[in-house]
Amino acid sequence: MTDTEKKILDLRATLKYHSDRYYNDDAPEIEDYEYDMMMRELKALEKAHPEYDSPDSPTKRVGGKADNTFASVAHTVRMESLQDAFSEQEIYDFDKRVRDAVNAPHYVVEPKIDGLSVSLEYVNGVFSRGSTRGDGDTGEDVSGNLRVIRNIPLKLNKNIPFIEVRGEVYMPKKSFDRVVDRQLIAGEKPFKNPRNAAAGSLRQKDSEVTATRGLDIFVFNVQQVEGAEFTSHKQSLDFLKELGFNTIPFYKRVDSIDEAFAEVEHIGEQRGNLEFDIDGAVIKVDDFDDRELLGSTSKFPKWAVAFKYPPEEKQTKLIDIEIAVGRTGVLTPTAVLEPVHLAGTTVSRATLHNQDFINEKNVNIGDIVTVRKAGDIIPEVRCVNEKHSDGSFIYPTVCPSCGEEVVREEGEAAIRCVNPECPAQLLRNLIHFCSRDAMDIEGLGPSIIETFVNEGMISKITDIYRLDEAEIATLEGFKETSANNIVTSVEKSKANDLGKLLFALGIRHIGAKAAKLLSDELKDIDAVMNATAEDILQIDGFGTIMADSVVDFFKKQGSRELVSELKELGVNTKSLNVITDTRFEGMTFVLTGTLPNYKRSEASKIIEGFGGKTSSSVSKKTTYVLSGESSGSKLDKANALGIPVIGEAEFEEMIK
């Protein structure tokens, strides 16, 4: 094998990996610009060495494939990708190719929204189906989730027989900030950027979750239509506005490529001030007859090009490194910078991720560093340009908030404070304790908890159960009714199941389901506190890390004192899961797909109420797989292992 062939094969494998991470897992590991540069290198090598051409090369495909979570949709009109350009010269080369085929072309320039491309279909003016682009030929039916996006009209302003339009679902920056705040409060891994968040939200199996994410859409193309005719792209966009669609913003028709590129630059200057992400600008031939003459390649239309903006980078001085402590105790470093204007905003702080990142970049206070906005959202330090310090910055050995020694567990990048009484973790711990999956104290949302902390009414978890109705009513913005509602909700939470309390305590590695398993198996918090790791490992679904985490949590005197105080305040510490019918005892069910009459949570509750267990993965220990519509890989695995598969009708017979 030649070095060139090896390079081509390596690039194809790397691009395929990152394409899967971006399109199908919604978890990108590299920036778009790095991906684009690798793709460009591969194209150049394939062009220079046609003997190594391959039909399955990433250069021959539109990124992404249909996820088997949703039903497949075959696109009648192919949802093509766009050819990318990275320089002014490439834009003028595109114009020359266009003018070689058509006379005096006009162009429409519009921003390239960084989101997830979808198709919307309307029959007699009523929304009938929506799907993702997928690989361009086949996508996923996500109609239910698209219906909850407010800017998608369910009925058009005109009753036309049929229209299919293409748009980009995106998450506005404000919505992204809210979602990330909620994820951090819940101790979840936050979305990396708004595009990633939009894709993950649109693929939710529960449309109620999608509805909470604040998604939006811009429509930018007519795919096919009956009952209307257009001769140009601008004319079609104007028509889409009349129908009630939220069309692509500030699109502009121009008469020359000079004007087109000037508009591309104008859009680029605005991108830092927009309420949504763009990763480029698109230049399209306006006249549809001209487009017909130009045609398409196997992947791109020849009548359009996307100019991709490079990530903007600036050099500045790192003047300090601050260490913050999060809800889970993780110490997070932030670079404090001499302010620099970057991508439309003034940047004075940037993420340094963790100690490993700091060591890798050899970063320290006083260095001159290059800063850029990762995905044009989160500022990060890219590298050191001038070294003005000795070595790398070293984390403190004690928590900057409480002074307790910090630890780094084997195999983890995070350094954390494990003191449950740490003041820096108080607010986030309180918010988590009151959240829906935990103690579910209605009325005690993040802003109200913060108010009570600032007023000195809450300084630890148990103070929640000492809140005074009269004192709350004296605060600005509160009345007797709202004060009474809060106190009533606090009192109601005392009767919660032990599982909710265990989750509320914020034990590392213990989610809501694991907390319920502990409650159901051990029945009483005293049994949980006194259990050994070996005892907990006997519970199906628990591994060594989870078991050790529970034991370590209750070893701490502060944890035991907290439980003792909660008991004195009347909080229930016993399991309420009393099983009188044990027909499913010893059985494990795996649920997959969508059931017509039950939410998964409802079906799981029924199974557990009859003494059974539910699991998220199929194994030889699985008794039944309860399968609904659009079942995916779990169904395939069940069939391969010979696990009995039942539908909703059979399930209802079993629970009569």
Side-chain angles (χ1 to χ4, degrees), residues 224-241:
Q224 52 180 330
V225 65
E226 297 173 15
E229 292 185 4
F230 326 106
T231 60
S232 72
H233 181 56
K234 183 178 184 302
Q235 188 182 17
S236 70
L237 290 176
D238 293 341
F239 179 71
L240 290 175
K241 272 187 179 178

Side-chain angles (χ1 to χ4, degrees), residues 386-399:
E386 297 176 23
K387 194 73 183 158
H388 294 283
S389 64
D390 295 326
S392 303
F393 175 84
I394 303 298
Y395 266 46
T397 56
V398 297
C399 174

